[in-house]
Amino acid sequence: MSTNKTNPPVRWLAADEERAWRAYLRMVTAVQSRTAQDLAAHGLSEPDYEVLSTLSERTDGTSTLREQAAKMGWSRSRLSRHATRMEGRGLIRRAPDPADGRGCFLVLTETGWDALREAAPTHVASVRRHFVDRLDPGELAVLGRIAEKIADGT
């Protein structure tokens, strides 16, 4: 009995599908690099800002490493390494999680709050300049629906 499996035929992209895919990749790269450049003026990377801003959404500025990693779509080890660098700069601190002996809380420090408050106006202006203001309201609504559909995996 043969163990060789036949692969299903490849559904190559049509020219318009490939153009759309490549345009999407260029768009994401352009927006991310431009907003990252604007954040760098505040000494923050995009991941730094994502950690700070998502922690700030919690009333106490605290989240478990596990919850934070899931929210960001990162592995726990990747976030842990990044958190170590942020902790070294005083932006966050770790606290033990009594409910999970192997886990920890990430806590936004006063320095982190200050950095976020200083960078947020620049970040919002950057997002507007490089993304929002380049689209009319209808285009923005359609893009939002498309992004949600793709992100949801449906």
Side-chain angles (χ1 to χ4, degrees):
M1 184 164 156
S2 174
T3 58
N4 292 340
K5 295 183 181 181
T6 58
N7 293 326
V10 175
R11 289 184 55 219
W12 298 106
L13 298 178
D16 61 335
E17 293 169 331
E18 186 167 352
R19 269 192 306 279
W21 171 245
R22 293 190 183 277
Y24 163 77
L25 291 175
R26 285 190 303 275
M27 175 192 70
V28 169
T29 300
V31 171
Q32 285 182 330
S33 66
R34 292 169 187 159
T35 56
Q37 188 174 30
D38 292 340
L39 277 174
H42 294 278
L44 296 174
S45 66
E46 276 192 291
D48 291 341
Y49 190 85
E50 180 73 9
V51 170
L52 295 175
S53 65
T54 55
L55 285 175
S56 77
E57 294 168 358
R58 307 292 289 264
T59 55
D60 60 356
T62 300
S63 177
T64 66
L65 183 98
R66 179 186 303 273
E67 292 168 335
Q68 187 72 12
K71 188 168 189 173
M72 294 177 64
W74 284 17
S75 69
R76 288 174 60 193
S77 63
R78 178 181 179 192
L79 179 57
S80 181
R81 287 189 303 275
H82 192 79
T84 298
R85 291 188 295 274
M86 291 181 73
E87 195 173 21
R89 292 165 41 216
L91 298 170
I92 62 171
R93 66 178 175 81
R94 294 176 201 238
D97 180 354
D100 180 358
R102 297 182 334 160
C104 69
F105 287 107
L106 299 180
V107 182
L108 194 52
T109 64
E110 243 351 275
T111 301
W113 278 108
D114 291 344
L116 182 61
R117 281 190 286 269
E118 181 183 310
T122 299
H123 181 66
V124 170
S126 182
V127 169
R128 286 198 168 283
R129 184 172 59 258
H130 301 300
F131 181 73
V132 174
D133 292 345
R134 292 175 177 252
L135 304 171
D136 67 41
E139 291 169 329
L140 194 59
V142 169
L143 185 55
R145 287 192 301 274
I146 292 168
E148 287 173 1
K149 183 177 186 178
I150 292 172
D152 290 345
T154 57

